[in-house]
């Protein structure tokens, strides 16, 4: 940690934009000016907070989100206040969002063992995207804790499961929590066109169930969307080829989006969207995502205060993916590797510790400690409330060790391990990536100057990934 300067110049973009918006709002009558006043208030509040109380993460998240919303909201005002003034509002709002990213970069302590992020214009812009995503998640209420009385039930379930794990020796041998599933034979397969590809959509009854008497078992089994497992397959015609299991991140699970993201491993030849590996690619859909979601938003419930649901979601992901691996091997696959992003990075790292015979595993920007992430993203008053009711982050971390790659031992050869992380990541902080790298005996790692979302455009990431896969024999 370090002593943060109270007066920072990087509060100026957001605060200045807010004052500019106030000036424009004051020139209009109340009703037309109302959207401007709302955005202006958020910008001034965020900018003032950045100036007076730097370090509160929600302040910069509000600024980044308000800047984006403002830039969109200002566009129709071209017909009210003129295109030049409206363009000024758009530019100032985007500058405010960038400023929030730069301020977030300024106040974040350096993580030991990780290259320091470069405070450049481009890195600040990348951080701003992370900030506005976090702001949006807070707006949805998916980060932090519900103050609705559910904490008491969650604490009771955690205590009960912790005692059970301790008595059964699972805390000492977390891999024993995961039972070997039956092989997957003859899943339902339907062919669809997605993102310009012929995609096989696999669907099968998962068969996963938490152990008898385990807290949260009946609740989990009531989630109809998780009873069937799904996967998307990109397959080449002709002789057998190596396979890659590519796992989606949090909020993903939409077939067209996931296929478009991972088709680079399937394509042959050269190009910005091709690895040239020419692999068969299987994309599993994580529980509570895509067609398995329970509500409006894909992923909701996977990472929440209900950590027993998180445990069961990740345990089912391991069960389903090991079944899918058995199906892949029945396709005469000469070799199989694994790749995953963010939450999919956590899942890939866990999978590499439970599945036998993978030639490589590449967890990217991987979440590795769910309890630590929850503690970071919850508000201070929520943490105080939860801890007052017995919500113990250390005990939660022990219970969730059964789905933590920091507690499981990788089975993939050391030469086939590769990790990449962002030096300025605001969603999955770099310490989580560093800890996995150390636990995996310091394999090849790529640190890029960017944020959680910017991995898609980081050339050194894909160069390292492709090199690792080729060196492991994972190419056509």
């Amino acid at each position: 940690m370090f002593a943060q300067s109270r007066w920072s110049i990087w509060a100026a973009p957001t605060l200045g934009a807010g004052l500019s918006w106030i000036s424009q709002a004051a020139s209009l009558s109340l009703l037309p000016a109302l959207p401007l006043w709302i955005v202006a208030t958020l910008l001034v509040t965020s900018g003032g907070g950045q100036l007076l109380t730097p370090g509160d993460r929600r302040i910069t998240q509000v600024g980044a989100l308000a800047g984006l919303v403002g830039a969109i909201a200002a566009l129709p005002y071209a017909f009210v206040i003129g295109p030049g003034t409206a363009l000024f509002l758009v530019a100032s709002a985007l500058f405010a969002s960038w400023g929030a990213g730069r301020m977030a970069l300024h106040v974040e302590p350096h993580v030991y063992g990780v290259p320091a992020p470069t405070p450049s214009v481009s890195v600040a812009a990348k951080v701003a995207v992370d900030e506005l995503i976090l702001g949006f998640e807070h707006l949805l209420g998916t980060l932090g804790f519900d103050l609705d009385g559910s904490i008491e039930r969650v604490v009771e379930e955690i205590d009960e499961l912790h005692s059970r794990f301790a008595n059964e020796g699972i805390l000492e041998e977390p891999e024993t929590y995961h039972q070997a599933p039956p092989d997957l034979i003859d899943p339902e397969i339907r062919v669809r066109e997605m993102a310009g590809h012929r995609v096989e959509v696999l669907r099968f009854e998962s068969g996963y169930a938490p152990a008898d008497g385990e807290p949260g078992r009946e609740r989990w089994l009531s989630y109809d969307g998780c009873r069937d497992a799904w996967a998307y397959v990109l397959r080449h015609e002709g002789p057998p080829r190596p396979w890659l299991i590519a796992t989606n991140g949090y909020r993903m699970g939409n077939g067209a989006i996931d296929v478009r993201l991972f088709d680079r491993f399937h394509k042959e030849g050269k190009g910005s969207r091709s690895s040239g590996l020419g692999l068969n690619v299987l994309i599993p859909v994580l529980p509570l995502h895509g067609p398995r979601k329970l509500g409006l938003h894909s992923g909701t419930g996977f990472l929440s205060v209900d950590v027993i649901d998180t445990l069961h979601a990740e345990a089912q992901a391991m069960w389903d993916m090991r079944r899918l691996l058995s199906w892949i091997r029945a396709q005469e696959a000469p070799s199989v590797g694994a790749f995953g992003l963010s939450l999919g990075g956590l899942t890939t790292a866990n999978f590499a510790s439970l599945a036998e015979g993978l030639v490589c595993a590449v967890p990217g920007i991987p979440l590795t400690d769910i309890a630590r992430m929850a503690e970071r993203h919850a508000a201070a008053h929520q943490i105080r409330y939860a801890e007052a009711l017995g919500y113990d982050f250390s005990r939660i971390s022990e219970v969730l060790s059964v789905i933590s790659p920091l507690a499981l031992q990788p089975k993939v050869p050391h030469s086939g391990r590769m990790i990449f992380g962002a030096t300025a990541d605001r969603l999955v902080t770099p310490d989580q990536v560093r800890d996995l790298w150390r636990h995996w005996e310091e394999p090849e790692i790529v640190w890029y100057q960017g944020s959680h979302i910017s991995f898609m455009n980081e050339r050194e990431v894909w160069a390292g990934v492709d090199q690792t896969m080729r060196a492991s024999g994972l190419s056509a």
Side-chain angles (χ1 to χ4, degrees):
M1 299 294 290
F2 60 88
Q4 175 59 49
S5 171
R6 187 173 180 83
W7 310 103
S8 172
I9 191 175
W10 300 116
T14 309
L15 183 58
L19 295 175
S20 297
W21 277 64
I22 287 177
S23 175
Q24 291 300 320
S27 67
L28 300 175
S29 57
L30 180 60
L31 189 59
L34 185 59
L36 299 184
W37 279 113
I38 293 173
V39 173
T41 300
L42 292 173
L43 290 173
V44 169
T45 301
S46 174
Q50 292 173 37
L51 183 66
L52 300 174
T53 57
D56 186 328
R57 299 185 188 99
R58 295 203 179 198
I59 292 174
T60 50
Q61 292 164 14
V62 168
L65 183 59
L68 177 65
V69 171
I72 297 172
L75 293 174
Y77 279 87
F79 301 101
V80 179
I81 56 179
T85 305
L87 182 60
F88 170 76
L89 290 179
V90 171
S92 65
L94 292 177
F95 187 48
S97 191
W98 176 88
R102 183 60 182 84
M103 187 67 175
L105 189 61
H106 175 68
V107 300
E108 186 71 19
H110 175 245
V111 177
Y112 179 77
V114 176
T118 302
S120 65
V121 172
S122 62
V123 171
K126 295 172 184 178
V127 172
V129 176
D130 275 11
E131 289 291 288
L132 70 88
I133 288 173
L134 286 169
F136 181 71
E137 290 290 342
H138 279 298
L139 187 65
L140 290 178
T142 55
L143 294 178
F145 303 109
D146 293 326
L147 308 183
D148 59 359
S150 61
I151 293 289
E152 292 92 331
R153 172 184 57 77
V154 173
V155 169
E156 182 179 344
E157 290 181 349
I158 292 167
D159 289 344
E160 182 181 345
L161 195 56
H162 188 277
S163 297
R164 177 173 177 142
F165 282 0
N167 292 335
E168 295 177 357
I170 292 176
L171 295 180
E172 288 72 33
E173 298 180 283
E175 69 279 359
T176 60
Y177 178 74
H178 301 272
Q179 301 300 310
D183 289 348
L184 174 60
I185 300 173
D186 196 25
E188 174 190 312
I189 300 178
R190 296 184 179 181
V191 177
R192 293 178 56 190
E193 289 293 322
M194 293 183 183
H197 292 277
R198 178 185 181 275
V199 179
E200 298 175 33
V201 181
L202 271 65
R203 183 177 182 178
F204 59 94
E205 185 177 353
S206 169
Y208 168 80
D212 289 338
E214 193 165 297
R217 169 188 162 91
E218 298 307 318
R219 182 174 65 251
W220 185 259
L221 293 178
S222 72
Y223 296 161
D224 292 341
C226 292
R227 292 179 182 173
D228 285 350
W230 295 69
Y232 309 111
V233 174
L234 295 168
R235 193 201 308 239
H236 291 275
E237 297 181 355
R241 297 191 183 209
W243 284 73
L244 180 70
I245 299 176
T247 309
N248 58 276
Y250 184 57
R251 296 292 188 199
M252 297 175 68
N254 176 280
I257 295 175
D258 289 0
V259 166
R260 188 173 288 108
L261 176 62
F262 294 127
D263 69 353
R264 70 175 308 277
F265 298 112
H266 175 72
K267 292 179 179 178
E268 298 177 286
K270 297 180 179 180
S272 60
R273 282 290 306 146
S274 174
S275 66
L277 296 172
L279 305 174
N280 291 332
V281 180
L282 182 143
I283 307 168
V285 179
L286 294 176
L288 302 175
H289 285 74
R292 312 177 77 178
K293 67 182 180 181
L294 299 182
L296 293 176
H297 305 289
S298 178
T300 296
F302 202 114
L303 299 173
S304 71
V305 66
D306 252 323
V307 293
I308 303 304
D309 275 2
T310 297
L311 169 64
H312 292 152
E314 183 65 12
Q316 181 165 17
M318 292 298 97
W319 173 279
D320 293 344
M321 288 173 65
R322 291 164 81 184
R323 296 198 71 191
L324 286 164
L325 179 60
S326 71
W327 178 83
I328 287 174
R329 287 183 170 141
Q331 315 304 303
E332 301 179 352
S335 57
V336 184
F339 175 89
L341 296 166
S342 191
L343 177 59
L346 168 83
T347 303
T348 295
N350 284 332
F351 185 57
S353 302
L354 296 173
E356 301 283 352
L358 297 177
V359 298
C360 68
V362 181
I365 45 175
L367 171 64
T368 58
D369 189 327
I370 294 171
R372 193 193 314 171
M373 186 200 71
E375 190 171 11
R376 173 184 172 85
H377 291 310
H381 75 279
Q382 293 176 326
I383 293 176
R384 290 193 298 270
Y385 169 82
E387 289 182 333
L389 295 176
Y391 198 83
D392 186 335
F393 284 100
S394 61
R395 174 158 291 204
I396 291 169
S397 185
E398 290 178 1
V399 168
L400 295 184
S401 66
V402 300
I403 56 167
S404 170
L406 302 180
L408 302 170
Q409 298 302 318
K411 297 183 178 182
V412 175
H414 189 272
S415 60
R417 305 172 195 172
M418 186 262 180
I419 302 169
F420 62 87
T423 61
D425 199 328
R426 297 288 287 180
L427 279 73
V428 176
T429 48
D431 56 301
Q432 301 228 0
V433 181
R434 176 206 61 195
D435 290 351
L436 180 63
W437 174 69
R438 290 175 174 173
H439 181 65
W440 274 21
E441 301 175 338
E442 302 185 0
E444 180 71 20
I445 186 169
V446 172
W447 288 107
Y448 63 92
Q449 291 290 333
S451 66
H452 195 74
I453 301 301
S454 72
F455 73 90
M456 293 180 287
N457 299 313
E458 307 290 349
R459 293 183 179 180
E460 63 268 39
V461 166
W462 300 114
V465 170
D466 295 345
Q467 180 180 351
T468 297
M469 291 185 180
R470 285 195 175 92
S472 301
L474 206 66
S475 62

